[in-house]
């Protein structure tokens, strides 16, 4: 509870700061006339408090939280777009101001006011338009991303093995049972050999979200359905969820590996808990990776399920052939991906370092704003090939 209280305090502080900036650019700088200035000021103040309030109530009173979550998260997305567009306008104005100052040219206050009003109006219109596009992208049909990966150690018996990766579904206040049912139908239609769920499946407790997640019991794959934790599982109570997923027929991999096939016609499928597990009593992440690979025959191919791309550095040292990850959402809303890249080595897609490869999915659902901009959701169909040729994605 203390950790969550700190999180809410940080969110509230950031929210107040961002909303003050929006107020300064949308009300104060353009000198918004009465009564609109007072109306927008009151609205921004309510929205600044509303987002963290919705998160808090959603944790304590899920039914109330679901009612508030939709508007709060839509505003979160619009707020981000407004912040980006207004900051961009301010950057342009700063360059113009510096140029005028260098030329010792004064600026007429009336022209400054006109510029502020034009910037506020243009940013509002652009943000609104982008918000509609992003909302439709997030709520529309999920595309299937087909990726072929060449693994030289893959047994010929598994050439063409299909792994359907689902990740970052984020079942919660705005993603429910109907969404999960649709994902299950789409995944089964691909006739997978393996279904891999690479974390951040839920945002809430088993008691609240169990019925929404229940359709996962309908997933069908020749070699089984596998799951590894993401950071949001630990926010939501990981242990009860792991029990529930096992009950639904999903095999949870906790720093371990299983054999896909038998004898010489087999490869290893490994899975590690998310890096955040250590804060909840789990192993340090490098130790978790080492445990998953302990005693492995290096001549056998291995595919690793790990929520965060940051696990790839440790996995590559153990000779992983392919790592499947999520976590980044591909940025979810441009240009947020630029910030994600400061903390993760890969944002999305297929990458190679030496003999090891990693595929990072943009995610199947979304977190927070029901919006995606230049980062579409995906159900990933990974096709393993035994071939020395370079991997390719389509």
């Amino acid at each position: 509870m203390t950790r969550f209280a700190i999180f809410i305090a940080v969110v509230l502080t950031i929210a107040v700061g961002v909303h003050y900036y929006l107020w300064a650019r949308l009300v104060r700088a353009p000198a918004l006339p009465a009564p609109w200035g007072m109306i927008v000021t009151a609205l921004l103040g309510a929205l600044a408090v509303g987002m963290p309030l919705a998160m808090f109530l959603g944790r304590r009173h899920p039914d109330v939280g679901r009612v508030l979550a939709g508007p709060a998260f839509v505003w979160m997305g619009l707020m981000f777009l407004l912040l980006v567009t207004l900051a961009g306008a301010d950057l342009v104005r700063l360059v113009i101001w510096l140029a005028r100052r260098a030329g010792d040219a004064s600026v007429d206050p009336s022209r400054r006011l006109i510029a502020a009003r034009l910037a506020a109006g243009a940013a509002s219109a652009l943000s609104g338009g982008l918000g509609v596009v992003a909302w439709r992208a997030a709520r529309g049909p999920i595309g299937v991303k087909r990726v072929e990966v060449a693994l030289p150690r893959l047994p010929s018996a598994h050439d063409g093995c299909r792994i359907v990766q689902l990740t970052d579904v984020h079942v919660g206040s705005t993603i429910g049972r109907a969404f999960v049912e649709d994902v299950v139908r789409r995944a089964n239609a691909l006739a997978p050999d393996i279904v891999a769920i690479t974390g951040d499946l839920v945002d809430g407790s088993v008691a609240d979200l169990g019925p929404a997640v229940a359709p996962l019991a309908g997933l069908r794959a020749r070699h089984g359905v596998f799951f590894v934790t993401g950071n949001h599982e630990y926010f939501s109570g990981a242990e009860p969820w792991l029990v529930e997923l096992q009950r639904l027929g999903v095999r949870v991999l906790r720093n371990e590996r299983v054999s896909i096939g038998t004898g010489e016609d087999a490869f290893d499928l490994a899975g590690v808990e998310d890096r955040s597990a250590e804060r909840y009593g789990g192993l340090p992440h490098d130790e978790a990776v080492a445990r998953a690979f302990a005693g492995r025959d290096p001549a056998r191919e291995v595919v690793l399920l790990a929520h965060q791309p940051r696990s790839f550095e440790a996995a590559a040292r153990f000779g992983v052939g392919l790592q499947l990850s999520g976590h980044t959402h591909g940025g979810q809303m441009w240009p947020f991906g630029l910030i994600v890249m400061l903390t993760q080595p890969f944002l999305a897609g297929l990458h190679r370092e030496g003999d090891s490869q990693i595929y990072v999915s943009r995610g199947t659902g979304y977190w927070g704003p029901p919006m995606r901009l230049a980062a579409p959701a995906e159900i990933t169909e990974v096709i393993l090939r035994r071939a020395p040729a370079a991997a390719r994605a389509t």
Side-chain angles (χ1 to χ4, degrees):
M1 189 62 186
T2 301
R3 185 181 286 109
F4 184 70
I6 294 173
F7 172 73
I8 288 292
V10 171
V11 170
L12 184 60
T13 301
I14 294 173
V16 169
V18 171
H19 283 80
Y20 175 79
Y21 173 75
L22 296 182
W23 173 82
R25 290 296 172 264
L26 296 176
V27 177
R28 186 180 66 184
L32 203 63
W36 298 109
M38 294 181 61
I39 292 173
V40 175
T41 298
L43 180 61
L44 287 173
L47 291 169
V49 176
M51 284 192 305
L53 181 64
M55 293 181 184
F56 177 77
L57 291 177
R59 193 176 180 89
R60 299 292 297 272
H61 306 285
D63 291 338
V64 176
R66 273 191 290 270
V67 174
L68 298 177
F73 284 133
V74 167
W75 169 245
M76 181 186 291
L78 291 174
M79 178 193 71
F80 173 74
L81 293 172
L82 269 172
L83 179 64
V84 170
T85 52
L86 285 169
D90 278 351
L91 182 60
V92 172
R93 292 171 64 191
L94 176 62
V95 171
I96 294 174
W97 179 81
L98 289 173
R100 288 180 177 276
R101 182 169 182 142
D104 199 25
S106 60
V107 180
D108 185 345
S110 63
R111 294 181 64 182
R112 183 183 293 113
L113 179 60
I114 291 173
R117 289 178 173 176
L118 285 174
S124 299
L126 180 59
S127 299
L130 290 174
V132 171
V133 171
W135 183 84
R136 293 184 64 181
R139 306 299 289 185
I142 305 169
V144 175
K145 177 72 172 180
R146 187 172 185 267
V147 181
E148 291 197 3
V149 182
L151 298 174
R153 294 175 299 185
L154 186 72
S156 57
H158 290 287
D159 184 40
C161 178
R162 296 173 182 270
I163 302 177
V164 169
Q165 182 191 9
L166 309 174
T167 190
D168 300 279
V169 181
H170 288 286
V171 178
S173 54
T174 62
I175 292 180
R177 184 183 179 100
F179 186 94
V180 177
E181 289 174 338
D182 182 60
V183 168
V184 169
R185 282 194 298 270
R186 289 171 177 270
N188 286 342
L190 297 172
D193 296 296
I194 296 168
V195 172
I197 307 172
T198 52
D200 279 9
L201 175 64
V202 292
D203 280 306
S205 68
V206 174
D208 188 40
L209 299 179
V213 173
L216 291 182
L219 283 169
R220 296 291 179 263
R222 185 159 67 100
H223 295 296
V225 181
F226 299 88
F227 174 85
V228 293
T229 55
N231 51 307
H232 282 248
E233 270 70 56
Y234 294 97
F235 304 156
S236 304
E239 292 301 327
W241 271 116
L242 300 186
V243 172
E244 177 66 6
L245 289 171
Q246 295 276 22
R247 189 185 70 81
L248 295 175
V250 178
R251 171 70 185 273
V252 178
L253 296 178
R254 306 185 72 174
N255 312 321
E256 58 187 314
R257 66 184 186 278
V258 295
S259 179
I260 304 299
T262 58
E264 295 182 356
D265 292 331
F267 69 93
D268 291 329
L269 181 70
V272 292
E273 296 175 310
D274 183 68
R275 300 179 69 91
S276 58
E278 182 179 1
R279 299 199 299 269
Y280 296 84
L283 293 174
H285 196 65
D286 282 1
E287 291 183 25
V289 175
R291 175 173 292 187
F293 283 83
R296 186 183 70 85
D297 180 355
R300 283 168 63 107
E301 192 56 85
V302 57
V303 175
L304 174 68
L305 311 182
H307 180 63
Q308 297 192 39
R310 283 195 296 165
S311 301
F312 186 61
E313 181 180 358
R317 292 197 297 267
F318 287 94
V320 67
L322 173 66
Q323 176 176 314
L324 298 178
S325 296
H327 186 65
T328 67
H329 297 209
Q332 187 165 320
M333 294 180 65
W334 187 90
F336 192 74
L338 300 176
I339 298 174
V340 175
M341 291 173 66
L342 297 176
T343 63
Q344 297 291 334
F346 308 104
L347 183 64
L350 185 64
H351 304 269
R352 174 188 290 272
E353 286 195 4
D355 294 327
S356 297
Q357 298 174 78
I358 179 173
Y359 182 80
V360 183
S361 167
R362 293 184 298 249
T364 309
Y366 55 80
W367 183 85
M371 298 179 180
R372 279 186 170 271
L373 187 63
E378 66 182 71
I379 293 172
T380 315
E381 182 186 29
V382 179
I383 301 176
L384 305 183
R385 297 292 187 190
R386 177 182 171 84
R392 59 192 184 278
T394 60

